Amino acid sequence: EAQVTQNPRYLITVTGKKLTVTCSQNMNHEYMSWYRQDPGLGLRQIYYSMNVEVTDKGDVPEGYKVSRKEKRNFPLILESPSPNQTSLYFCASSWVAGGSGTDTQYFGPGTRLTVL
Amino acid sequence: SQQGEEDPQALSIQEGENATMNCSYKTSINNLQWYRQNSGRGLVHLILIRSNEREKHSGRLRVTLDTSKKSSSLLITASRAADTASYFCATRRSNDYKLSFGAGTTVTVRA
């Protein structure tokens, strides 16, 4: 089954304790992206990756890191989480249509993170 | 930055009625997409309309795009309780790799 998986689904942590949220897709998509969703703000892009070893900042990258060492995986790293990073996080992937952009995105189920 | 803005923020309708929501955006786009999100879950792609298209249908969904007004509308006909969800428009700008999402319209379909 074609899918995007995220782990963990729920996480409660404390300020400053490094954490990683994993994301994996089995569709051989080149493009992967991380979003955070906050009430009234919709989805805001954190980082995205066009292919292995190619990553770029989205609209709200501060406090986050990513890596793309393999095509299927795109982990999100919070080196020193703070309470303002409490949010619902989504990973998504898609083909790079025509080599110049992204079209339909497939979303993971979400990770609800609480930073105390 | 948010490119798309949905209107209204919330909509409550009776089962069987039609639901219409709008999306406005700021810059020229390559395509515009609509997604649905059931409470707290991942987004599901509904329909994509390219900048050179004016109308598209998929089942009970009808999407229009007016590039001169930088706006799009999503019509759900004969709504069902299962259509209760949040709906988001997302735009991909020309020569850009990112999708920008609006804040969404929350639709409640009453039985």
Side-chain angles (χ1 to χ4, degrees):
Chain A
E1 179 191 354
Q3 60 182 351
V4 179
T5 56
Q6 295 178 228
N7 282 292
R9 296 289 313 281
Y10 301 91
L11 179 60
I12 300 174
T13 189
V14 295
T15 298
K17 186 176 181 182
K18 181 179 178 180
L19 66 92
T20 299
V21 183
T22 64
C23 172
S24 184
Q25 50 93 5
N26 62 1
M27 295 167 278
N28 203 35
H29 287 161
E30 300 96 342
Y31 183 93
M32 297 186 75
S33 180
W34 277 102
Y35 299 89
R36 61 177 287 174
Q37 184 176 29
D38 302 290
L41 295 177
L43 274 77
R44 294 179 292 168
Q45 191 175 47
I46 303 170
Y47 268 96
Y48 64 96
S49 169
M50 295 295 292
N51 213 324
V52 175
E53 303 290 3
V54 180
T55 62
D56 208 346
K57 295 177 181 178
D59 297 318
V60 288
E62 294 78 19
Y64 304 94
K65 283 176 57 177
V66 292
S67 68
R68 189 91 181 272
K69 292 183 168 48
E70 305 166 283
K71 199 172 188 179
R72 65 183 292 125
N73 297 322
F74 190 45
L76 179 70
I77 302 155
L78 284 71
E79 295 264 358
S80 183
S82 63
N84 65 11
Q85 293 178 298
T86 292
S87 188
L88 180 58
Y89 291 86
F90 289 102
C91 180
S93 71
S94 73
W95 299 109
V96 177
S100 61
T102 57
D103 290 309
T104 304
Q105 295 205 356
Y106 295 81
F107 281 79
T111 294
R112 190 167 292 280
L113 172 66
T114 301
V115 183
L116 302 174
Chain B
S1 59
Q2 281 177 262
Q3 161 83 313
E5 299 287 341
E6 290 93 341
D7 172 61
Q9 288 186 328
L11 184 58
S12 180
I13 56 173
Q14 201 73 31
E15 204 165 23
E17 293 180 338
N18 295 341
T20 300
M21 60 210 86
N22 304 296
C23 171
S24 59
Y25 56 92
K26 297 171 185 166
T27 61
S28 62
I29 60 171
N30 176 286
N31 67 63
L32 185 145
Q33 305 173 37
W34 286 91
Y35 288 80
R36 184 186 74 228
Q37 183 183 35
N38 291 97
S39 183
R41 304 182 114 179
L43 278 72
V44 174
H45 180 261
L46 294 176
I47 198 163
L48 179 153
I49 187 165
R50 301 194 184 279
S51 59
N52 61 354
E53 297 175 314
R54 291 297 167 256
E55 188 170 312
K56 214 163 178 184
H57 296 255
S58 177
R60 294 183 295 112
L61 305 180
R62 173 179 170 251
V63 168
T64 62
L65 179 64
D66 187 334
T67 53
S68 66
K69 295 181 180 177
K70 291 187 171 60
S71 69
S72 173
S73 68
L74 171 66
L75 168 67
I76 305 172
T77 60
S79 63
R80 305 168 182 168
D83 295 327
T84 294
S86 292
Y87 292 82
F88 295 87
C89 70
T91 52
R92 181 165 84 72
R93 292 177 291 204
S94 305
N95 302 316
D96 196 329
Y97 300 121
K98 301 191 298 183
L99 268 187
S100 295
F101 286 82
T105 293
T106 300
V107 175
T108 303
V109 181
R110 305 186 306 273

